[in-house]
Amino acid sequence: MANTIVSLISLVLFCITATQGRKTLQANNEGQTLSPFNSDGMCKTMVETQGYACEEHKVTTEDGYILSLQRMPVGRSGKKADKPPVLLQHGLFIDAITWLFNSPNESLGFILVDSGYDVWLSNTRGTKYSSGHKSLSPNDKAYWDWSWDELTRYDLPAFVQYVYNHTGQTMHYAGHSLGTLMALAAFSQGQVLNMLRSAALLSPIAHMNQITSQLTKVAADTFLADDLYWLGLREIIPNGDVAAKFVEGICHNLQLNCSDLMTLFTGPNCCVNSSKIDVYLDHGPQPTATKNLIHLSQMIRTGIIAKYDYGDQGQNMQHYGQPTPPPYDMTKISNEFPLFLSYGGQDMLSDVRDVQVLLSDLKDHDGNKLVVLLKKDYAHVDFVLGVNAKQMVYDPMIDFFKQN
């Protein structure tokens, strides 16, 4: 039971995950299409088992990371997609399996392809199917020298450009949690908008200093107080001693009952089938860089959406040409770009008050181009694992896609 509880931390924000002994993907040329029957790929393990066609694709980022994409071009009926592409981007500590967890009638990836969309599932650097690099191995410390800055600057544009080049069409985008932060940061700098039709942001993450989870706030402070220590650790095994002691120490100091860690971190999810957690644990929690967690911790403490702060004016000058990290200004997002935002009243990570600050940033957005959907009973994980998410969120989102 204890190992299961610790593993569940990987669903949420502030525990470092790791996988040891995994095979490093061999470097592939950009644009190479892998066999849809690759026994090691997500297609074989998660999509074809449900009776759907699937393709494995690879794309290389400008900084050398080799990332995987899965494509679902045909619905369960066998009818080829007749609607535009949709790119789905997962959040932290997970990969594209997040869109395939539940049954085909409940999972967004399957729902979209059965609705006629050409579905593309992206996997960010460091995750199981995106652990390749042109010159580095995950065993190299340099491999993990990144935060969500690089996911925004390199991974997201690489995915979008690849789908655009491969299909010749502009696409819709849907992201959850960290996948929304990547998009918002990119949009604020005018990136990728020319290749997108619209974006749906589920549990949007931007401003983060009003989150209500006491456990998360203390975890963030701990990471910042001991950032040099954490940076010395490339990865931590989620059910290993370091992760367990880290969380147990916080629970002890706060005198919290940590028997339900997912609720303490994400909020009380109303509609998750608990049996699906076993599917997640079987798949394995996905790694991220320690630097990424420190960056997110900086956002929680300061309330500022900015590039990674090296904690030293000299280093910041070296990286940015100024003593403080440049901000990502959400007010710079094009007022004409269609946005669908859905957030939960019980969400402790995408807190209602923080989302309201984001909506204030978007106050000048064209009213016909912005749809906001609050689900009062939803917490963070309900948006991807909720058994009723199709009716509550996905159907309105698909209507939004049809209008754009």
Side-chain angles (χ1 to χ4, degrees), residues 56-360:
E56 297 276 1
H57 293 255
K58 290 288 176 184
V59 58
T60 302
T61 67
E62 286 187 11
D63 59 343
Y65 289 81
I66 301 168
L67 313 177
S68 76
L69 282 159
Q70 288 76 41
R71 184 190 192 186
M72 301 167 61
V74 180
R76 189 164 31 178
S77 66
K79 182 181 178 183
K80 189 174 181 180
D82 56 4
K83 294 184 176 68
V86 180
L87 177 65
L88 302 182
Q89 177 57 59
H90 61 80
L92 188 66
F93 294 133
I94 191 63
D95 56 18
I97 194 178
T98 195
W99 310 111
L100 309 169
F101 261 133
N102 289 341
S103 71
N105 294 326
E106 297 169 340
S107 298
L108 182 57
F110 296 120
I111 291 169
L112 284 170
V113 72
D114 283 333
S115 299
Y117 290 93
D118 182 6
V119 177
W120 293 77
L121 311 171
S122 54
N123 301 270
T124 54
R125 63 183 63 191
T127 54
K128 181 176 181 179
Y129 301 114
S130 292
S131 60
H133 192 279
K134 291 170 67 176
S135 61
L136 298 172
S137 159
N139 294 322
D140 299 322
K141 182 172 285 190
Y143 178 92
W144 298 98
D145 186 16
W146 50 267
S147 76
W148 61 263
D149 280 335
E150 283 71 28
L151 302 183
T152 297
R153 182 179 178 182
Y154 298 115
D155 289 25
L156 179 59
F159 290 135
V160 172
Q161 188 71 58
Y162 183 89
V163 174
Y164 179 75
N165 290 346
H166 197 87
T167 65
Q169 297 185 68
T170 55
M171 71 209 71
H172 300 289
Y173 176 91
H176 175 247
S177 191
L178 188 64
T180 69
L181 177 59
M182 292 164 57
L184 288 166
F187 298 165
S188 73
Q189 298 183 329
Q191 289 182 287
V192 304
L193 292 174
N194 61 317
M195 293 178 282
L196 297 182
R197 295 169 181 258
S198 72
L201 307 178
L202 310 181
S203 295
I205 296 291
H207 303 279
M208 293 185 68
N209 68 322
Q210 298 188 78
I211 55 176
T212 56
S213 170
Q214 190 179 9
L215 194 59
T216 303
K217 286 184 176 180
V218 172
D221 286 341
T222 302
F223 265 87
L224 291 182
D226 298 319
D227 57 352
L228 291 178
Y229 166 74
W230 291 113
L231 281 172
L233 300 175
R234 186 171 62 246
E235 302 172 87
I236 295 178
I237 302 173
N239 60 351
D241 290 342
V242 176
K245 289 178 181 178
F246 174 63
V247 175
E248 287 170 4
I250 295 175
C251 292
H252 175 75
N253 291 335
L254 296 179
Q255 297 183 334
L256 293 174
N257 178 2
C258 288
S259 60
D260 185 2
L261 284 169
M262 188 164 73
T263 294
L264 287 174
F265 274 111
T266 69
N269 296 282
C270 67
C271 306
V272 174
N273 182 346
S274 59
S275 68
K276 293 300 179 181
I277 300 300
D278 293 334
V279 178
Y280 174 83
L281 296 177
D282 287 343
H283 180 74
Q286 298 301 302
T288 194
T290 308
K291 185 176 179 180
N292 192 29
L293 295 187
I294 293 174
H295 193 179
L296 291 165
S297 299
Q298 291 170 354
M299 295 171 61
I300 291 174
R301 175 177 283 187
T302 66
I304 298 172
I305 312 169
K307 291 184 180 292
Y308 182 85
D309 189 346
Y310 287 87
D312 177 84
Q313 289 190 1
Q315 287 195 56
N316 284 334
M317 285 293 296
Q318 181 179 348
H319 285 87
Y320 309 124
Q322 58 185 62
T324 58
Y328 293 95
D329 187 350
M330 298 293 107
T331 68
K332 299 296 185 183
I333 296 174
S334 171
N335 294 334
E336 302 298 318
F337 181 70
L339 288 174
F340 175 97
L341 278 72
S342 187
Y343 63 110
Q346 304 300 316
D347 197 331
M348 289 185 176
L349 292 178
S350 178
D351 183 80
V352 168
R353 292 174 299 173
D354 283 327
V355 174
Q356 291 299 322
V357 177
L358 173 61
L359 293 175
S360 178

Side-chain angles (χ1 to χ4, degrees), residues 386-397:
V387 295
N388 62 350
K390 180 181 185 298
Q391 295 77 25
M392 297 294 101
V393 179
Y394 302 159
D395 285 347
M397 185 186 76

